[in-house]
Amino acid sequence: MEGKEEDVRLGANKFAERQPIGTSAQTDKDYREPPPAPLFDPGELHSWSFWRAGIAEFMATFIFLYIIISTIIGVVKSPNKCATVGFQGIAWACGGMIFVLVYCTAGISGGHINPAVTFGLLLARKLSLTRAVFYMIMQCLGAICGAGMVKWFQRHDFETLGGGINAVASGYSKLAGLGAEIVGTFVLVYTVLSATDAKRNARDSHVPILAPLPIGFAVFLVHLATIPITGTGINPARSLGAAIIYNRGNAWDDMWIFWVGPFIGATLATLYHQIVIRAIPFKTRA
């Protein structure tokens, strides 16, 4: 029995470059920490990769808005919700599309598709301020065009069934709506930072990890929790695009919640990941 335990111990630590599951973090680095992105890199503006990344963000957000608003209108239109995909279907549509779109665009732009995610990665110094602002503009434009496409195809239903806008539901306070957006975005950005962490990828390299999967699943779960409260924003571009194209009723009443909440949530998630999970401010370098 003692020999067997020794074999298990040696087997778990046979490869020094890999971290045994369930053990604490290694003290010696087995990965290369990427350098912080510069705040402003003039060379980016002359690079085709910079512009195609923005186009990729535009197209991804365009497709995302088209799919989810079409799904929402289909659910709201039916008098019998049991005959539609319901809230669960809306959540699956959002999470599934994020999974697909992050998978398709991660190698080009990083697959943000969300100004709050871009802002969180900016705070983590994963991209420059120039690129972050460009991404946010392209995401918002893509969202507007995606919502506009739905209105073009389904004008009557779009205008009579709410246009898929985000708003705090009756029975909930503005503070509850803000809190839901903060917590929901925290979950999303924390998942993004964890799934794309260079240290995690190196340490758990023996465990196959497909980053778009946990990101999409996080979006799905957040939608399940917050659709009854705010319709689930956690993406300022998504909320803005639907509001601009619908532009009536209460489209603008709660818009500040769907910008302030996600940006606060992204900030908190980044601080938590960088300070607690990565302990970057406390690291000493030889």
Side-chain angles (χ1 to χ4, degrees):
M1 191 66 181
E2 293 179 359
K4 185 177 180 180
E5 291 178 353
E6 181 67 14
D7 291 342
V8 171
R9 187 185 66 79
L10 290 174
N13 296 279
K14 182 177 180 181
F15 301 102
E17 75 278 7
R18 293 178 178 178
Q19 184 69 17
I21 296 176
T23 61
S24 60
Q26 292 173 285
T27 55
D28 295 330
K29 285 187 177 180
D30 55 356
Y31 70 101
R32 178 174 297 178
E33 186 79 51
L39 189 62
F40 178 70
D41 183 4
E44 285 187 318
L45 301 177
H46 304 288
S47 171
W48 169 237
S49 65
F50 175 83
W51 297 102
R52 74 181 184 129
I55 296 171
E57 287 294 309
F58 171 90
M59 286 302 301
T61 317
F62 170 88
I63 295 169
F64 180 64
L65 263 289
Y66 174 77
I67 293 296
I68 64 171
I69 293 182
S70 297
T71 304
I72 292 170
I73 290 177
V75 171
V76 176
K77 181 179 180 180
S78 176
N80 181 8
K81 297 299 182 289
C82 295
T84 69
V85 295
F87 282 174
Q88 294 88 346
I90 295 173
W92 274 118
C94 294
M97 281 311 304
I98 288 297
F99 167 69
V100 171
L101 294 171
V102 172
Y103 178 83
C104 292
T105 60
I108 301 173
S109 66
H112 298 190
I113 322 171
N114 185 336
V117 171
T118 300
F119 183 68
L121 294 174
L122 172 65
L123 295 179
R125 301 294 302 277
K126 303 294 185 182
L127 73 165
S128 67
L129 178 61
T130 310
R131 186 175 290 261
V133 172
F134 181 48
Y135 277 14
M136 291 181 190
I137 293 173
M138 297 301 283
Q139 289 157 359
C140 290
L141 291 176
I144 294 168
C145 292
M149 182 70 75
V150 178
K151 183 176 180 179
W152 183 28
F153 289 167
Q154 308 179 60
R155 176 176 293 274
H156 179 266
D157 291 338
F158 184 91
E159 293 181 346
T160 59
L161 299 177
I165 64 169
N166 287 125
V168 178
S170 60
Y172 292 95
S173 66
K174 305 289 186 184
L175 184 60
L178 179 63
E181 289 297 304
I182 291 173
V183 174
T185 312
F186 179 96
V187 173
L188 171 59
V189 176
Y190 176 43
T191 304
V192 170
L193 291 170
S194 297
T196 59
D197 191 341
K199 182 176 182 179
R200 176 189 176 94
N201 291 337
R203 186 183 64 204
D204 296 338
S205 58
H206 58 301
V207 180
I209 296 177
L210 184 61
L213 182 59
I215 295 171
F217 202 64
V219 170
F220 164 69
L221 294 174
V222 170
H223 275 75
L224 285 182
T226 59
I227 283 177
I229 304 174
T230 62
T232 308
I234 69 172
N235 184 335
R238 175 260 185 272
S239 302
L240 180 67
I244 286 178
I245 298 301
Y246 185 65
N247 196 30
R248 64 178 63 190
N250 62 340
W252 298 102
D253 292 349
D254 303 322
M255 182 55 59
W256 68 272
I257 291 175
F258 301 103
W259 281 84
V260 175
F263 276 86
I264 292 177
T267 301
L268 294 175
T270 304
L271 290 174
Y272 176 73
H273 185 265
Q274 298 293 86
I275 296 174
V276 178
I277 302 301
R278 295 299 311 279
I280 287 179
F282 308 105
K283 288 182 178 179
T284 58
R285 286 173 167 76

